[in-house]
Amino acid sequence: MLFFDKLSDYPYGIDADYIDAETERLEIQILQLPPENKPLIIENITNDLLVAYYTEREYVSKKGANADRGKMLAYYNALSSVITYICGKTDFVYTDAFIKSWERKTAGNYFPFGELMRTNWRAMATGNNPTAEPAPPQRQKPRKTFEDFIIVDNKEAIIKTVEPIIAKGAKGKGLAILAKALLRRDLIRLETSQYTQFHTAIGNSFKGVDTGNVRGFRKYMNNAQEIPAAEIAAVSALFK
């Protein structure tokens, strides 16, 4: 489930890389949906995050000054990502009914999301909303590259070996075989939550990568039985 696979049991709260990866995954999913399905998906995910945020907020309130606020802040950051970044990218504004329902649920409580939800973030970004408050700065994230995932010193040699492999099969299964081979040789660090980032980084680093097939890449990464061990071993043997 988006945003919950890790945050729901994450003991220390904020995990910016995970939230960024899940935000990008949500964006890709929404852009592939028919327009009429977009509002329901965004509002359902927002609703789930709001429930999680206020559940944690109540826990923190009961525990007092010694409470761990990390998980609550993580849900807050996830909500902010969806409300500003996703809505801006997909040209979506929350329905008034959805906003008012949450304003009623939190009546007399802290609800900082109402005005954010009423803002047309796409219009703000393009300058078509002159009467609105200035938009908060866009998230400026450096483009990740394949090199960012390599954890050994001889990065140039690894990249040089990878180039012809990419050229031969830069689709979902081929990239998954490559990633698993690199992991087997302890040449890269790649968490499950970083699959989308890794796929994007490969596209940023090499020509000819099928950047639209991130779903296929994740499918092969998550299902070991989909790839014969011999294929992974053959690619792994290329790295000396």
Side-chain angles (χ1 to χ4, degrees):
M1 185 177 178
L2 280 163
F3 293 105
F4 287 91
D5 291 342
K6 190 172 182 180
L7 291 188
S8 60
D9 58 2
Y10 188 65
Y12 306 111
I14 300 171
D15 187 335
D17 285 343
Y18 175 75
I19 291 173
D20 285 346
E22 292 294 270
T23 302
E24 291 173 5
R25 190 155 71 99
L26 174 59
E27 178 188 354
I28 290 169
Q29 290 184 11
I30 290 173
L31 292 176
Q32 293 173 344
L33 292 173
E36 61 271 18
N37 293 346
K38 179 173 61 177
L40 179 63
I41 297 299
I42 295 178
E43 290 192 346
N44 280 349
I45 289 174
T46 303
N47 187 76
D48 290 343
L49 288 171
L50 283 166
V51 169
Y53 170 75
Y54 279 102
T55 299
E56 287 301 317
R57 187 175 179 82
E58 184 178 2
Y59 166 80
V60 168
S61 178
K62 289 179 179 179
K63 285 289 185 178
N66 295 324
D68 180 0
R69 298 170 179 266
K71 193 182 292 186
M72 181 187 77
L73 294 174
Y75 284 125
Y76 180 94
N77 286 357
L79 277 163
S80 298
S81 261
V82 173
I83 294 170
T84 60
Y85 183 79
I86 292 296
C87 290
K89 284 288 187 179
T90 59
D91 197 18
F92 174 75
V93 178
Y94 291 87
T95 60
D96 198 47
F98 179 83
I99 299 170
K100 286 183 177 178
S101 73
W102 269 98
E103 287 177 334
R104 288 193 297 271
K105 288 177 185 177
T106 57
N109 201 343
Y110 175 72
F111 187 69
F113 307 107
E115 289 308 309
L116 293 176
M117 290 180 179
R118 290 186 172 92
T119 300
N120 186 325
W121 293 101
R122 171 65 65 85
M124 296 283 272
T126 57
N128 293 328
N129 194 4
T131 61
E133 292 292 325
Q138 290 283 330
R139 296 184 305 162
Q140 297 295 324
K141 298 189 299 179
R143 287 187 1 146
K144 278 193 174 292
T145 65
F146 171 62
E147 185 176 345
D148 294 327
F149 290 87
I150 300 174
I151 57 175
V152 294
D153 292 333
N154 58 333
K155 294 186 177 185
E156 291 184 5
I158 302 302
I159 293 170
K160 189 175 181 179
T161 304
V162 165
E163 285 177 342
I165 299 174
I166 293 288
K168 290 179 181 178
K171 294 187 177 181
K173 182 178 180 181
L175 291 178
I177 292 172
L178 171 62
K180 288 178 179 291
L182 291 165
L183 286 167
R184 174 179 288 192
R185 297 296 297 270
D186 294 322
L187 299 176
I188 62 171
R189 179 177 291 113
L190 180 60
E191 303 291 339
T192 304
S193 64
Q194 295 177 306
Y195 287 166
T196 299
Q197 284 185 331
F198 181 79
H199 189 272
T200 301
I202 291 288
N204 291 339
S205 306
F206 303 99
K207 294 180 180 179
V209 176
D210 182 7
T211 55
N213 195 27
V214 65
R215 182 178 295 178
F217 172 70
R218 288 201 306 266
K219 182 189 81 169
Y220 285 109
M221 289 298 294
N222 288 322
N223 296 283
Q225 65 273 20
E226 295 276 353
I227 303 175
E231 294 186 35
I232 299 172
V235 174
S236 179
L238 298 175
F239 297 93
K240 301 177 181 179

